[in-house]
């Protein structure tokens, strides 16, 4: 028969307890993969709200990728597209949806995704002047990325918020503020040795990002119920105008 499993609360966590008929070697293999997966670096964020008068939003893009030190970086073997705070993404969502910000303003988000070392922040105290100064200094590259698109952006600022790896760690509950598992260490699927326990998330193929995580969730659903049941659920959601 199928192994018996119970779910209990222990020290604030939900723990699955399965009897010895679950293959212990398979469990250990899965745990080892998870425990030894390489994690990416962390994030540095800059969120700004600015006055938009004089800007032609129709001529702007919704997303930009800016290389602070060029595609080759500083030319060393340790630098390049994925070098520390070299590739900066700038999101300009109001190009797509003007309602995201009050009339006469737009919001922008610049960030270094997975290329800010947590170690630089590990001993920082979030309430200290040193921490605030470090955020301002490290965010310079993010400002440069936005200025390459809107040269006078600083004179337009209404609100600016800088998020560090500690911000990422605290509010998104990511250990060491990581972006997620490195591509080569994704679990190939969400299967586990435990019956009806399927994993989903950015550590499971196809990996990091909202669309990818949503797909891993859909894959988990596919593993648990057949297509007919899923279509019925979708029909009920549409009937109730939930999607």
């Amino acid at each position: 028969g199928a192994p018996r499993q119970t779910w209990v609360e222990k020290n604030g966590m939900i723990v699955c307890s399965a009897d010895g008929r679950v293959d212990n070697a398979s469990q250990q293999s899965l745990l080892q993969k998870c425990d030894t997966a390489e994690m990416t670096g962390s994030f540095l964020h800059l969120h700004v709200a600015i006055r938009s008068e004089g800007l032609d939003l129709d001529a702007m893009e919704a997303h930009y990728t800016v290389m602070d030190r060029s595609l080759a970086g500083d030319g060393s073997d340790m630098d390049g597209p994925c070098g520390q705070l070299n590739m900066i993404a700038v999101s300009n969502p109001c190009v797509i949806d003007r309602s995201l910000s009050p009339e006469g303003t737009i919001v922008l988000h610049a960030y270094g995704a997975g290329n800010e070392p947590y170690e630089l922040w590990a001993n920082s105290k979030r309430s200290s002047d040193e921490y605030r100064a470090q955020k301002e200094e490290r965010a310079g590259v993010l400002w440069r990325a936005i200025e390459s698109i809107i040269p006078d952006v600083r004179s337009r600022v209404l609100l600016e918020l800088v998020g560090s790896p500690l911000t990422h760690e605290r509010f998104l509950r990511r250990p060491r503020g990581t972006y997620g598992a490195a591509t080569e260490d994704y679990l190939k699927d969400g299967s586990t040795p435990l019956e009806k326990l399927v994993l989903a998330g950015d550590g499971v193929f196809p990996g990091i990002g909202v669309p990818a995580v949503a797909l891993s969730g859909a894959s988990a659903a596919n593993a648990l119920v057949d297509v007919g049941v899923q279509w019925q659920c979708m029909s009920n959601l549409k009937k109730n105008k939930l999607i």
Side-chain angles (χ1 to χ4, degrees):
R4 291 172 307 207
Q5 298 159 32
T6 57
W7 296 88
V8 297
E9 184 174 352
K10 183 178 180 180
N11 297 328
M13 297 183 294
I14 303 298
V15 180
C16 175
S17 174
D19 69 17
R21 284 174 288 181
V22 175
D23 181 6
N24 188 59
S26 297
Q27 290 188 65
Q28 291 303 316
S29 176
L30 175 63
L31 290 173
Q32 184 177 22
K33 287 179 182 177
C34 294
D35 288 342
T36 59
E38 180 183 354
M39 294 289 110
T40 68
S42 190
F43 271 88
L44 192 68
H45 298 268
L46 173 62
H47 293 270
V48 295
I50 67 171
R51 290 184 293 272
S52 61
E53 60 265 23
L55 297 178
D56 183 0
L57 292 185
D58 292 328
M60 299 177 73
E61 301 293 338
H63 185 87
Y64 296 87
T65 299
V66 180
M67 293 297 191
D68 187 64
R69 298 184 298 280
S70 82
L71 192 62
D74 61 13
S76 69
D77 293 339
M78 298 300 291
D79 206 356
C82 298
Q84 188 179 129
L85 288 182
N86 186 22
M87 183 186 296
I88 305 301
V90 180
S91 175
N92 183 20
C94 291
V95 166
I96 297 173
D97 185 352
R98 303 288 202 273
S99 71
L100 294 176
S101 186
E103 185 175 354
T105 69
I106 62 172
V107 290
L108 299 160
H109 175 207
Y111 57 96
N115 58 15
E116 173 70 343
Y118 180 83
E119 290 76 14
L120 297 177
W121 302 83
N123 297 318
S124 299
K125 292 182 171 56
R126 288 185 292 104
S127 60
S128 68
D129 292 337
E130 291 79 6
Y131 175 64
R132 286 187 283 272
Q134 184 178 11
K135 286 203 296 182
E136 182 176 351
E137 187 273 326
R138 294 294 292 177
V141 61
L142 306 181
W143 279 113
R144 287 197 297 273
I146 299 178
E147 286 169 335
S148 72
I149 304 159
I150 306 172
D152 63 346
V153 63
R154 295 203 195 215
S155 67
R156 296 172 174 271
V157 169
L158 299 170
L159 175 69
E160 63 179 275
L161 299 169
V162 177
S164 76
L166 299 188
T167 313
H168 206 66
E169 180 180 49
R170 181 187 182 196
F171 289 101
L172 297 181
R173 299 175 63 83
R174 303 309 304 264
R176 298 176 64 79
T178 183
Y179 190 20
T183 304
E184 59 270 21
D185 283 345
Y186 293 157
L187 297 176
K188 63 182 179 64
D189 57 49
S191 61
T192 74
L194 302 178
E195 183 186 16
K196 295 184 179 179
L197 176 62
V198 182
L199 304 180
D202 62 15
V204 180
F205 181 84
I208 293 169
V210 173
V213 170
L215 186 55
S216 76
S219 297
N222 284 332
L224 295 171
V225 297
D226 62 38
V227 174
V229 173
Q230 291 187 60
W231 275 112
Q232 184 60 52
C233 288
M234 295 294 287
S235 295
N236 290 339
L237 289 171
K238 289 182 179 179
K239 182 180 179 180
N240 291 294
K241 298 182 178 180
L242 296 175
I243 58 173

